[in-house]
Amino acid sequence: MEPILKVKNLTKEFPGVKALDNVQFDLFPGEVHILVGENGAGKSTLSKCILGAYQPESGEIYLEDKKVDFKTPKEALANGIAAVYQELTMIPYLNAAQNIFFNREPVYKGTNIINQKLMQTQAKELLRNLNCENIDTTKPVKYLGVAEQQMIEIAKAISIDPKIIIFDEPTATLSDREVESFFEQIHLLKKRNIGIIYVSHRMKEFHHIGDRITVLRDGKYIKTLREGELSDEELVNLMVGRDIAQVYVRTPNDHSGEALRVENISDRAGKVEDCSLVVNKGEIVGLAGLVGAGRTEMARLIFGIDKLKGGKIYLHGKEVSGKGPSFLVNEGLGFLPEDRKQLGLAVRAPISWNIAAVSLKKIFPHFFVSQSKNDEIADEYVKSLKIATPSVKKMARALSGGNQQKVVIAKWLSANTDVIIFDEPTRGIDVGAKMEIYALMDRLASEGKAILMISSEMQEIIGMSDRMYIMNNGSIAGHIEREEFAAEKIGQMMLLGS
Amino acid sequence: MKKIKQKILESKYVYVVLSLLFMMIISSLLSPSFLTLSNLITILRQASILLMLSLGLTAVVITGNIDLSVGSCAALTGCICAKMLVADVPVIAAMLISISIGLIIGVVNGFLVGVIKLPSFVATYGMNMVASGLAMIVMNGGVIYGLPAKFTTIGIGYVGSVPIPIIISGVMCLIVYILLQKTTFGRNVYMIGFNIQAAGYSAINCLGTLLAAYAFCGVTGALGGTMMTARLNAADAGMSETYGLQIVAAVVMGGTSLLGGEGGVVGTVIGAIILTIIVNIMNIVGVNSNWQNFAVGIVIILMVWIDIYTRSRRAKKLI
Ligand SMILES: Nc1ncnc2c1ncn2[C@@H]1O[C@H](COP(=O)(O)OP(=O)(O)OP(=O)(O)O)[C@@H](O)[C@H]1O
Ligand SMILES: [Mg+2]
């Protein structure tokens, strides 16, 4: 069989970085070819070159043995290459159906009038195939959760009926159940002889769907291997170029004194009802649940972004119910939101400004700002978190997804609050960096900070938490101590409530 | 050397400065009397009021909003100031009261945009009508002349050979520059403009910053209005009409993007000067006033076009 896609000696440079250096790649019909590598290795860049979103400096791309040189993603799409980007690209004010059929809406015969009814039916059908029949296709997508939006993106790519689909970290925002139905679709696509390029940091997914794996490191092609040829550890070492141990390290420490107490809080939208929890100093407390269970909503409520309908919140014993973020940060509460592009970062602002956004008043208490001191502080975080960038003066937009996430983390580290809510802290982060973030959270806990961690990755939340609350449909369905952690039990509570 | 060259080329103001130079060269070719010291001082003096009016607006536009009420805020405060002066209110008191009125207009604008969350375009357009309506009510079709000399100095006086309005606007420029570029307040103004949601999640006091920016815009509007009154030694309700949207144009031509987060005072200074030069040279050469608006319009469009074009190129370099 002939490959449908061949990439030869591809090189792509950005000012100060060689994002791709002589990379090769090929893809057979009906194959899932996985791209792996650390944050900034060049995976997204390679995908975007194939898609025509970036123009490479040199190298060739062949589609079914014909040399192609797409100038825009639209051109690539016309030739049968679709993509689901790492960052969501939907139009927030349009509903799911309008987004899926954007620019190719079904019309009444012989007219230019959009057939809304047909569009809705087709959109529902597509989503039903993805087991997402409960997504409201008539609501503007900005009112939907990240995971739901992601499923709509996937439905959109599939609906185009392409020869090749590129998925850039499609599951980063999904919960296990959604991942499962997504994988079922992938198997169907494979049967239809569609070639799939799949970028992911989640190794356990590779066994489920992968055929071959190509490893990139620092923009260079390292190796292509068959799925299962190497163990996970060997693969990680190949990606990182050094040996790392993949374990969740928790240093035992005593949890003395209450840091955060939440009593019977509810929100006005009805997404959180009568929830209570406690986080002690030195503890990492997990908040598990399906996507849509209300975990992020609860965090927003605690951080004062949304208004309380009822209930009380205490920080270090002091009541802070109804206060806004500025007040709460001064009292020592931090919140790392899950949507880094919309809520975590000002992508057009320099990295250094982003890192200092929360702590600005602390760094410069006398009203005047020194850019060079700001840069110095940012440089320290760039070093300690290994953020891959030539300069902190660059816009945050220029960073790879994982490195953007690290900037958000740096921002909250520099704020140095003693209670931190992490919402999906390792989303889109490579294994090496994940381990660093786990180590960091562990260190924060042993320094006596209190951490509330929201995560959709079962392994991670089991590995890192001292205790865990499980949310189901807006309420706390259960509370488990570390000794009793068991994936089945947790999963059951997440699905069914207690 | 190479580094310096690159730095200059990457600076956001290169093209704005180049346009200014270009404009000056053309003008001096058109008329030998353009490039005389006295004419240059005249230009700066004429520009100083437009500049004052655009200063606070620069901050507002950086937050990603707009204030269309600056012109009528200036007219209203100027008229009230004149009314008080002819009623023998002490000069300092009259000016302070006018500035407070500007401040109140700004705070109301900020409240409408930040708390009630009206689109700034609509809210401040409404305020524009309210303020100009108030000015008409106050003046009732009349004109006030003959203000105390102590007051008119701020419009027509000199320190040595430098006109006082240039000094006042120059000092305000410096203050606004420092506020925006060198303080935590200024940083927050930019962060709100870049992404107000992320700013909120970063515990930045968005509402306070927005209110302050609008309040400041009202203050510079009032300052511009009193300077205008002093310069004309007269006040009437329609006196700021010539400025109108030129105030917005000066800001935008200087490279401050309506998207928010970009630009600054330096650009506004150059924008205001360019706008003034066009009118100045047309007056010197004797262009029919019917054609003047037409020409100003063309230049505004060209400048914003150049700015947007070079910005996208610069963005590619910076990332
Ligand atoms: N638009 C851009 N401008 C400048 N540099 C860029 C741009 N996009 C990517 N880069 C740089 O190119 C390199 C590769 O980035 P890329 O996004 O391909 O990484 P990635 O492998 O997808 O990483 P991640 O796992 O974090 O998503 C990084 O060093 C990044 O900073
Ligand atoms: Mg990527």
Side-chain angles (χ1 to χ4, degrees):
Chain A
M1 198 168 35
E2 279 293 297
I4 46 174
L5 181 80
K6 264 187 299 197
V7 171
K8 284 186 183 158
N9 307 326
L10 206 67
T11 297
K12 172 73 195 169
E13 284 179 51
F14 294 110
V17 252
K18 220 172 198 178
L20 292 177
D21 186 0
N22 241 326
V23 168
Q24 60 188 77
F25 183 82
D26 59 358
L27 179 70
F28 289 94
E31 173 191 49
V32 174
H33 194 155
I34 294 173
L35 270 177
V36 295
E38 287 185 284
N39 293 131
K43 307 176 297 290
S44 298
T45 307
L46 176 57
S47 322
K48 286 182 185 166
C49 285
I50 294 172
L51 260 173
Y54 290 155
Q55 266 62 52
E57 263 76 47
S58 63
E60 294 111 54
I61 300 173
Y62 297 89
L63 184 63
E64 295 173 325
D65 277 333
K66 231 175 55 226
K67 186 162 184 286
V68 291
D69 184 12
F70 300 132
K71 294 279 180 271
T72 60
K74 212 172 151 189
E75 223 178 294
L77 190 61
N79 285 280
I81 306 182
V84 175
Y85 284 105
Q86 187 171 7
E87 313 291 352
L88 301 172
T89 57
M90 270 182 300
I91 301 165
Y93 296 95
L94 298 184
N95 64 37
Q98 287 163 329
N99 267 296
I100 292 176
F101 295 103
F102 187 70
N103 237 334
R104 49 192 187 94
E105 294 86 353
V107 291
Y108 289 106
K109 226 170 146 188
T111 70
N112 265 328
I113 301 162
I114 296 174
N115 187 338
Q116 297 285 357
K117 223 169 129 197
L118 182 61
M119 196 159 85
Q120 286 290 342
T121 337
Q122 290 182 348
K124 287 211 177 83
E125 174 70 32
L126 280 164
L127 286 168
R128 188 165 31 244
N129 290 337
L130 287 163
N131 284 335
C132 291
E133 55 281 339
N134 49 3
I135 293 182
D136 186 344
T137 52
T138 58
K139 245 201 210 158
V141 294
K142 70 174 196 155
Y143 297 118
L144 303 176
V146 208
E148 289 165 329
Q149 295 191 28
Q150 184 70 1
M151 294 311 272
I152 297 170
E153 293 260 16
I154 292 169
K156 178 176 178 174
I158 293 174
S159 73
I160 291 162
D161 199 15
K163 288 181 248 177
I164 296 175
I165 304 187
I166 302 175
F167 289 107
D168 196 350
E169 298 190 36
T171 55
T173 59
L174 303 182
S175 69
D176 290 347
R177 198 172 59 125
E178 288 153 323
V179 170
E180 238 167 74
S181 36
F182 171 54
F183 283 173
E184 278 167 26
Q185 280 298 311
I186 296 241
H187 286 297
L188 289 179
L189 293 174
K190 281 174 74 166
K191 282 206 194 97
R192 277 158 55 188
N193 254 348
I194 293 170
I196 293 169
I197 301 174
Y198 191 91
V199 179
S200 173
H201 291 297
R202 295 188 175 177
M203 316 208 58
K204 70 169 197 280
E205 299 183 343
F206 303 173
H207 314 304
H208 288 299
I209 52 165
D211 294 308
R212 284 188 304 157
I213 301 176
T214 286
V215 182
L216 298 180
R217 189 198 309 150
D218 294 332
K220 292 194 185 65
Y221 171 83
I222 301 295
K223 201 172 178 182
T224 300
L225 25 108
R226 269 174 293 102
E227 204 301 299
E229 197 176 320
L230 291 182
S231 70
D232 284 0
E233 284 74 33
E234 287 167 317
L235 188 59
V236 169
N237 293 343
L238 205 57
M239 279 158 57
V240 191
R242 61 194 142 86
D243 291 348
I244 59 165
Q246 189 179 1
V247 277
Y248 300 96
V249 191
R250 284 307 314 276
T251 328
N253 62 338
D254 63 327
H255 311 141
S256 52
E258 194 175 286
L260 174 72
R261 163 180 289 273
V262 171
E263 280 178 0
N264 310 96
I265 58 168
S266 309
D267 72 350
R268 298 186 174 169
K271 295 257 193 169
V272 180
E273 274 172 60
D274 208 20
C275 290
S276 303
L277 58 78
V278 173
V279 186
N280 295 310
K281 288 180 194 156
E283 247 184 346
I284 299 180
V285 173
L287 186 56
L290 295 178
V291 171
R295 296 167 301 165
T296 296
E297 285 79 3
M298 170 128 97
R300 290 163 49 105
L301 210 50
I302 298 175
F303 195 57
I305 304 256
D306 294 334
K307 295 238 154 44
L308 280 174
K309 190 174 132 207
K312 295 202 162 86
I313 300 165
Y314 299 89
L315 210 53
H316 301 300
K318 179 174 163 187
E319 187 176 343
V320 294
S321 330
K323 302 289 187 194
S326 321
F327 182 90
L328 293 169
V329 167
N330 281 335
E331 295 291 317
L333 177 66
F335 174 38
L336 207 127
E338 67 175 326
D339 184 346
R340 60 175 165 251
K341 205 171 145 202
Q342 296 300 328
L343 309 177
L345 287 174
V347 289
R348 289 185 291 141
I351 294 166
S352 58
W353 288 28
N354 274 296
I355 292 181
V358 184
S359 50
L360 197 68
K361 287 228 167 75
K362 225 181 252 172
I363 307 174
F364 304 109
H366 303 300
F367 194 52
F368 290 99
V369 171
S370 145
Q371 187 56 50
S372 56
K373 185 170 171 204
N374 184 175
D375 287 350
E376 263 169 45
I377 290 171
D379 270 326
E380 276 168 33
Y381 284 102
V382 164
K383 268 201 213 92
S384 67
L385 295 180
K386 303 197 181 71
I387 300 172
T389 177
S391 154
V392 293
K393 290 190 165 56
K394 300 258 171 196
M395 290 187 212
R397 178 160 59 187
L399 296 174
S400 76
N403 282 301
Q404 288 181 353
Q405 180 69 4
K406 291 192 198 171
V407 171
V408 185
I409 292 176
K411 171 164 96 174
W412 283 104
L413 286 183
S414 81
N416 196 21
T417 53
D418 34 45
V419 183
I420 311 179
I421 306 172
F422 284 95
D423 195 353
E424 307 285 359
T426 62
R427 180 156 118 207
I429 285 198
D430 68 58
V431 259
K434 255 186 191 172
M435 296 306 126
E436 285 159 21
I437 286 171
Y438 296 147
L440 189 95
M441 290 173 71
D442 180 59
R443 201 189 74 214
L444 292 174
S446 25
E447 283 168 8
K449 309 221 145 143
I451 294 176
L452 180 64
M453 176 170 89
I454 299 173
S455 170
S456 296
E457 259 186 72
M458 187 68 90
Q459 273 186 344
E460 165 176 295
I461 205 161
I462 289 181
M464 291 306 295
S465 311
D466 293 311
R467 290 183 294 124
M468 190 188 305
Y469 292 94
I470 293 143
M471 264 188 106
N472 173 277
N473 201 13
S475 321
I476 303 272
H479 172 234
I480 317 183
E481 297 285 338
R482 187 173 180 93
E483 301 77 56
E484 302 155 29
F485 284 176
E488 301 80 53
K489 189 168 156 194
I490 298 169
Q492 213 166 25
M493 281 186 167
M494 280 172 25
L495 268 171
L496 307 170
S498 44
Chain B
M1 193 55 213
K2 206 174 151 200
K3 236 185 168 166
I4 296 176
K5 197 174 141 198
Q6 196 181 355
K7 217 169 171 176
I8 291 176
L9 277 179
E10 273 176 16
S11 150
K12 48 191 172 186
Y13 295 123
V14 206
Y15 292 94
V16 191
V17 173
L18 283 181
S19 321
L20 176 64
L21 289 179
F22 177 74
M23 202 74 88
M24 291 183 70
I25 291 170
I26 298 278
S27 301
S28 47
L29 289 180
L30 282 172
S31 160
S33 54
F34 175 79
L35 218 55
T36 57
L37 187 62
S38 74
N39 189 49
L40 291 183
I41 288 185
T42 306
I43 289 174
L44 283 183
R45 195 183 58 210
Q46 286 171 346
S48 62
I49 291 177
L50 177 59
L51 179 56
M52 178 62 83
L53 294 172
S54 321
L55 275 180
L57 182 63
T58 308
V60 169
V61 174
I62 293 173
T63 67
N65 291 289
I66 191 131
D67 187 345
L68 296 175
S69 69
V70 181
S72 51
C73 168
L76 175 64
T77 52
C79 290
I80 291 180
C81 187
K83 266 238 138 116
M84 285 189 288
L85 289 170
V86 292
D88 284 334
V89 176
V91 172
I92 296 290
M95 287 188 61
L96 283 180
I97 292 173
S98 307
I99 290 169
S100 317
I101 293 171
L103 184 90
I104 292 169
I105 293 179
V107 171
V108 174
N109 277 331
F111 180 83
L112 294 175
V113 175
V115 180
I116 310 211
K117 307 229 184 291
L118 299 184
S120 60
F121 191 86
V122 183
T124 60
Y125 184 69
M127 181 54 78
N128 181 55
M129 303 293 278
V130 168
S132 75
L134 277 178
M136 289 179 199
I137 294 169
V138 168
M139 299 305 285
N140 199 14
V143 181
I144 296 175
Y145 307 93
L147 302 171
K150 214 173 132 198
F151 174 70
T152 51
T153 353
I154 64 167
I156 52 182
Y158 285 82
V159 171
S161 53
V162 188
I164 289 179
I166 297 184
I167 298 177
I168 300 179
S169 292
V171 170
M172 276 306 279
C173 278
L174 201 67
I175 292 175
V176 180
Y177 178 82
I178 291 173
L179 262 182
L180 285 180
Q181 307 302 324
K182 308 279 177 200
T183 69
T184 50
F185 165 74
R187 178 68 72 81
N188 289 344
V189 166
Y190 279 93
M191 289 306 274
I192 288 178
F194 280 127
N195 181 346
I196 190 163
Q197 267 189 313
Y201 273 82
S202 302
I204 289 173
N205 182 351
C206 297
L207 179 60
T209 310
L210 204 62
L211 279 174
Y214 268 106
F216 193 69
C217 187
V219 167
T220 55
L223 270 172
T226 44
M227 280 165 70
M228 207 185 302
T229 311
R231 167 102 203 111
L232 298 168
N233 192 7
D236 76 276
M239 68 180 172
S240 66
E241 263 162 25
T242 44
Y243 289 106
L245 285 178
Q246 276 196 38
I247 305 166
V248 180
V251 174
V252 179
M253 280 166 68
T256 300
S257 156
L258 291 171
L259 269 182
E262 278 163 64
V265 176
V266 180
T268 303
V269 172
I270 301 174
I273 293 179
I274 290 179
L275 274 176
T276 313
I277 287 182
I278 312 166
V279 177
N280 176 274
I281 190 66
M282 285 192 293
N283 281 332
I284 293 182
V285 182
V287 175
N288 178 326
S289 66
N290 292 340
W291 282 95
Q292 291 199 359
N293 269 352
F294 175 82
V296 171
I298 298 283
V299 173
I300 291 174
I301 292 172
L302 277 179
M303 284 286 299
V304 175
W305 183 19
I306 293 176
D307 175 62
I308 286 175
Y309 176 71
T310 56
R311 189 201 311 280
S312 66
R313 285 194 37 185
R314 218 172 39 235
K316 275 193 193 134
K317 279 238 172 75
L318 270 181
I319 61 176

